[in-house]
Amino acid sequence: MQGMMMNRPLSIIEILAYAAEVFPSGEVVSVRCEGDRHRQSYPETYARAAQLAHALTGLGIGHGDRVATLAWNGYRHLELYYGVSGMGAVCHTINPRLSAEQMLYIIGHAEDKLLFTDLTFVPLIEALKDHLPKNLRIVVMTDAAHMPDTSFDALCYEDLLAGQPMAFDWPDLDENTAAGLCYTSGTTGNPKGALYSHRSTVLHAMSVSLALRLSLAEGRRILPVVPLFHVNAWGLPYAAPLNGASLIFPGPALDGPSLFQLMDSERVFSAWGVPTVWLGLQGEIKAQGRNPEGFGEVVIGGSAAPRAMIEAFETSGVSVCHAWGMTEMSPVGTQGHLPAHLSDLPFKEQMDVKQLQGRRLFGVDLKITGEDGTRQPRDGTSVGELFVRGNTVVSGYFNNPEATEAAIDDEGWFGTGDIATITPEGFLSIQDRSKDLIKSGGEWISSIDIENIVMAHPGVASCAVIAIPHPKWDERPLLCVVPADKDAPPDKAELDALVLEHMASWQVPDAMELLDELPLTATGKVSKLTLRQTFADYVLPDAG
Ligand code: AMP
């Protein structure tokens, strides 16, 4: 027997319509490429999304067409999120940190019809223009007064919106209609497209809202430093309006002093981003001797949050939520708010829990399997590859049957490529990416564990551990360190002693190399691939 309930399709534009009606004082504050700070309310954002949808219709955009963006976090980018998907087209966010070659590949693969760009990226388009598809039209996201001189035909965003009606007859779309497209560069080979639907996006926004309800409460002010061009800024463009929280967009200014100044003046409560940006903010907090006014929480994900970073935030009164996810998961899979029953634990034990990647969101199932595919117990020590399943997980890659086949297992789960343990209480601990683990004499060494320990040394600004081939042990760890002070680099023996306090003697890195900086991927993570290439011919001291 079937239930007798209405079946309304889940739709992204409904989120903004709801925020405009129920949270009219919710704000979208944006640092603009033009140099100033801009503010508008949710009702204004909804009206402008409608104007944009009219403009897109006028440009011939129809259902299923891909509309690309090359832009920082700001209100116009948010309007594209809603206007494009609301009218039935697909918002394809492009990561400007990708190489030119990768960018051209994904624009071609996605068959984008329109490309919206911030002023910052106009020179990039100038450089690529001869290789871009001939029918790709380009819109610069600014007003007529700031339109740059370009050698390509460029439309002006504000001119397109001017005079358009402020209401749009949003189509009733099937909830499985594609709404967003984001390519992951976290794997080998060409980038692969995750194609989100209205249904998956709304369900993800609801799951994030539930799990992070304290961060997102009505009236809260949230800073997504995580870019709108990288997996939907972890769902914040949807979850914040859904809850009546305001969005504070940093635009292109992501350095510590700029973030501090923005957070301080806008009274940001919760800030979300990868560890790299928090290093900059922590530097500025140290320089100023205080936290930004109103700063209460930081959500750290995208890479493992170093323990020293978690402790520094926590001791200054900023609560850390360590989250894990990936492009293919919309992206949030787990979140690490401390459960209420653990809040009386001593500080050190609380930090032990916070360092884990947290517990799963509702609707995300996790399993870990051994090398032969058998499920591993949730005992906190059994290590295996992490697989996920749920309504917010990709069922395959856009127009890529080979990659799809490789990613989904026989039971229909998606293989994350992460190596993890799960505790009996359901806390996930990411040990490594499968390809970043170091296998020494048949035993695994976690590069993340070593990095976390070494990062706690005051002489270390950042570090990464990679595997170097070894004739006897197969692989041994090499520690790459960026010293805090170039003229007084840390002593390898001191770092070894630190590692030895927590790890077995055979897990201590064989050698250390000092670097000026660590290579980063397009998403701001340390590029171990580049490091491995740099040290491809490296010979360890006892390997001869
Ligand atoms: P991306 O699709 O670019 O967001 O990358 C996803 C990958 O980032 C995951 O599969 C993990 O390897 C890594 N990752 C994300 N969050 C964390 C975290 N909190 N700790 C460790 N690794 C993480």
Side-chain angles (χ1 to χ4, degrees):
M1 194 175 8
Q2 298 271 296
M4 286 180 60
M5 302 306 288
M6 291 185 189
N7 197 346
R8 297 282 306 141
L10 298 173
S11 131
I12 289 175
I13 195 68
E14 288 295 331
I15 294 177
L16 191 56
Y18 176 74
E21 183 187 320
V22 178
F23 307 117
S25 58
E27 263 196 306
V28 180
V29 179
S30 312
V31 174
R32 289 205 282 202
C33 297
E34 290 90 335
D36 56 353
R37 202 178 292 180
H38 173 274
R39 331 180 77 87
Q40 68 186 26
S41 65
Y42 282 137
E44 284 164 334
T45 308
Y46 185 47
R48 281 173 56 85
Q51 290 185 301
L52 176 64
H54 282 290
L56 291 170
T57 309
L59 289 170
I61 295 299
H63 283 207
D65 285 342
R66 269 77 74 195
V67 174
T69 66
L70 202 48
W72 300 110
N73 289 6
Y75 65 105
R76 294 185 182 116
H77 206 172
L78 185 71
E79 291 158 11
L80 281 154
Y81 262 59
Y82 283 98
V84 171
S85 62
M87 65 172 301
V90 178
C91 183
H92 170 205
T93 51
I94 301 178
N95 186 338
R97 296 177 186 140
L98 293 174
S99 66
E101 193 185 328
Q102 285 178 319
M103 226 179 271
L104 290 170
Y105 170 81
I106 66 174
I107 289 171
H109 188 266
E111 299 178 51
D112 294 322
K113 289 244 171 90
L114 269 178
L115 171 61
F116 285 76
T117 177
D118 263 341
L119 284 166
T120 313
F121 306 114
V122 169
L124 185 68
I125 294 177
E126 287 285 0
L128 295 184
K129 70 172 193 296
D130 293 340
H131 308 283
L132 289 171
K134 294 287 163 271
N135 57 352
L136 180 73
R137 299 183 74 183
I138 293 166
V139 183
V140 182
M141 294 160 71
T142 190
D143 55 20
H146 292 89
M147 271 304 275
D149 285 332
T150 54
S151 67
F152 54 87
D153 283 338
L155 298 163
C156 168
Y157 187 92
E158 292 301 332
D159 283 357
L160 285 178
L161 265 64
Q164 299 285 4
M166 296 204 189
F168 188 82
D169 191 9
W170 303 107
D172 242 349
L173 302 166
D174 180 315
E175 64 180 10
N176 291 305
T177 303
L181 177 61
C182 180
Y183 282 74
T184 173
S185 54
T187 51
T188 47
N190 280 325
K192 302 174 183 71
L195 186 61
Y196 312 111
S197 65
H198 282 261
R199 174 183 158 81
S200 71
T201 305
V202 173
L203 289 175
H204 181 260
M206 286 163 56
S207 299
V208 168
S209 303
L210 263 180
L212 291 144
R213 55 197 169 278
L214 302 178
S215 325
L216 293 164
E218 182 177 357
R220 291 275 203 229
R221 298 174 74 73
I222 317 286
L223 175 85
V225 181
V226 50
L228 289 167
F229 59 70
H230 185 210
V231 260
N232 309 320
W234 299 349
L236 275 176
Y238 309 112
L242 188 60
N243 289 275
S246 290
L247 284 165
I248 316 298
F249 285 133
L254 304 177
D255 59 289
S258 303
L259 287 179
F260 187 104
Q261 207 271 333
L262 178 66
M263 292 171 72
D264 202 39
S265 55
E266 294 293 339
R267 300 278 194 280
V268 166
F269 169 74
S270 181
W272 298 35
V274 296
T276 322
V277 297
W278 304 132
L279 279 179
L281 181 71
Q282 287 192 319
E284 184 62 14
I285 289 175
K286 206 168 164 194
Q288 300 242 3
R290 68 176 179 95
N291 281 331
E293 205 56 52
F295 186 24
E297 178 193 83
V298 61
V299 178
I300 309 180
S303 298
R307 182 163 180 128
M309 174 175 286
I310 300 176
E311 287 185 357
F313 275 127
E314 291 275 344
T315 43
S316 76
V318 174
S319 173
V320 172
C321 175
H322 187 191
W324 166 87
M326 60 195 311
T327 307
E328 291 90 334
M329 298 179 68
S330 302
V332 186
T334 64
Q335 61 83 24
H337 271 312
L338 205 64
H341 72 276
L342 299 183
S343 60
D344 291 336
L345 283 180
F347 183 75
K348 185 192 159 296
E349 286 168 44
Q350 286 194 21
M351 295 307 102
D352 291 344
V353 178
K354 291 231 166 184
Q355 203 180 343
L356 305 175
Q357 275 76 5
R359 294 170 296 170
R360 70 187 177 101
L361 265 57
F362 173 71
V364 177
D365 296 334
L366 309 175
K367 74 168 179 183
I368 46 172
T369 63
E371 275 178 30
D372 59 357
T374 52
R375 288 208 190 193
Q376 299 296 299
R378 298 180 171 215
D379 55 11
T381 53
S382 299
V383 178
E385 183 177 353
L386 178 60
F387 285 79
V388 292
R389 189 177 65 177
N391 289 317
T392 58
V393 178
V394 293
S395 58
Y397 290 105
F398 176 54
N399 272 348
N400 196 337
E402 300 85 40
T404 298
E405 191 174 338
I408 307 288
D409 78 0
D410 294 343
E411 295 177 359
W413 295 65
F414 174 83
T416 65
D418 286 341
I419 305 296
T421 61
I422 301 176
T423 69
E425 302 80 32
F427 282 89
L428 179 71
S429 174
I430 300 290
Q431 305 290 310
D432 238 318
R433 293 288 300 168
S434 46
K435 55 188 176 295
D436 287 343
L437 276 173
I438 298 151
K439 202 162 194 183
S440 172
E443 298 288 346
W444 295 111
I445 301 175
S446 163
S447 60
I448 292 184
D449 279 356
I450 303 177
E451 286 158 17
N452 265 326
I453 295 166
V454 170
M455 278 297 286
H457 191 282
V460 175
S462 53
C463 71
V465 175
I466 53 167
I468 298 287
H470 189 281
K472 180 168 179 193
W473 301 109
D474 228 20
E475 291 178 338
R476 291 293 305 158
L478 168 70
L479 171 64
C480 304
V481 166
V482 178
D485 179 354
K486 260 194 216 162
D487 299 320
D491 184 10
K492 164 103 175 35
E494 249 180 66
L495 298 179
D496 287 355
L498 209 56
V499 175
L500 262 179
E501 281 177 29
H502 305 274
M503 299 181 70
S505 56
W506 60 271
Q507 295 179 316
V508 172
D510 285 20
M512 173 174 88
E513 284 299 318
L514 297 174
L515 304 179
D516 286 341
E517 56 181 13
L518 294 177
L520 298 182
T521 66
T523 54
K525 299 172 194 188
V526 174
S527 172
K528 296 222 173 156
L529 187 66
T530 311
L531 273 180
R532 276 195 288 267
Q533 283 163 351
T534 307
F535 291 104
D537 299 319
Y538 193 81
V539 181
L540 289 163
D542 74 336

